[in-house]
Amino acid sequence: MCIRDRLIAAYHPALKIDIQSAVAQAPVSCFFGPPFYSRSLPTLILAGTADELVPISGPERAFALAPPPVTLVELLGGTHSGFMNREQPYVENTDTRECELLQMSDPMRGQAEFVARLTAGVDPGVFDPGSCLPLCGQRYRQTMGATRQIRLSRAATLAHFEASLRGRVDAALFLTWLLGRNPDVVVRIKR
């Protein structure tokens, strides 16, 4: 499933998919309005603070709007490319090259069809494009390597699913307490 589709499959009010728990890495979620988050669902949102494709404000907005329980794990200095285990040595941010490649292609191609499908059969306000920052509009300094970012993401994802689907207390403690003790991780929880 495409990364942008994870939150759509989990929350979209017109879809009736039986999802019991969700994880979204660097979700392009800035265009979802409050009515989009129509149900409570254990959700983990992973975001890098140096992400040039999906600025941290988008995942923060999803965290604020989604009903509890929801957890936001901010990987300080993590990038969009880091979630794909991509890293280029000797550059300030691997995402800068990804942005260049994206902008050389046609990043808006298919957007009209995507918006039409997203908004079909839903109330006004589900889709709010005015909340999005320009694609690749801000440069950030990458301080987290892709290998570390992948390891932290995998650990958080496993702990989330073990806690939310299997009720494992040790996994919940890892996610809520131990993970956040890393100097390059901030964990926010809404219960």
Side-chain angles (χ1 to χ4, degrees), residues 154-184:
R154 288 177 179 165
T157 299
L158 178 61
H160 171 74
F161 283 134
E162 288 291 320
S164 63
L165 297 176
R166 293 188 176 164
R168 289 193 44 191
V169 175
D170 59 336
L173 286 173
F174 173 81
L175 192 57
T176 60
W177 182 72
L178 193 56
L179 184 64
R181 293 182 62 128
N182 285 284
D184 51 358

Side-chain angles (χ1 to χ4, degrees), residues 8-29:
I8 294 171
Y11 286 103
H12 196 287
L15 298 176
K16 304 297 182 210
I17 301 173
D18 184 27
I19 294 177
Q20 298 172 7
S21 186
V23 173
Q25 295 178 338
V28 182
S29 52

Side-chain angles (χ1 to χ4, degrees), residues 129-152:
S131 301
C132 296
L133 296 174
L135 183 66
C136 300
Q138 179 77 35
R139 298 286 182 239
Y140 300 98
R141 186 168 183 276
Q142 175 181 349
T143 57
M144 181 178 287
T147 301
R148 174 123 175 100
Q149 187 169 338
I150 287 290
R151 286 183 179 154
L152 289 168

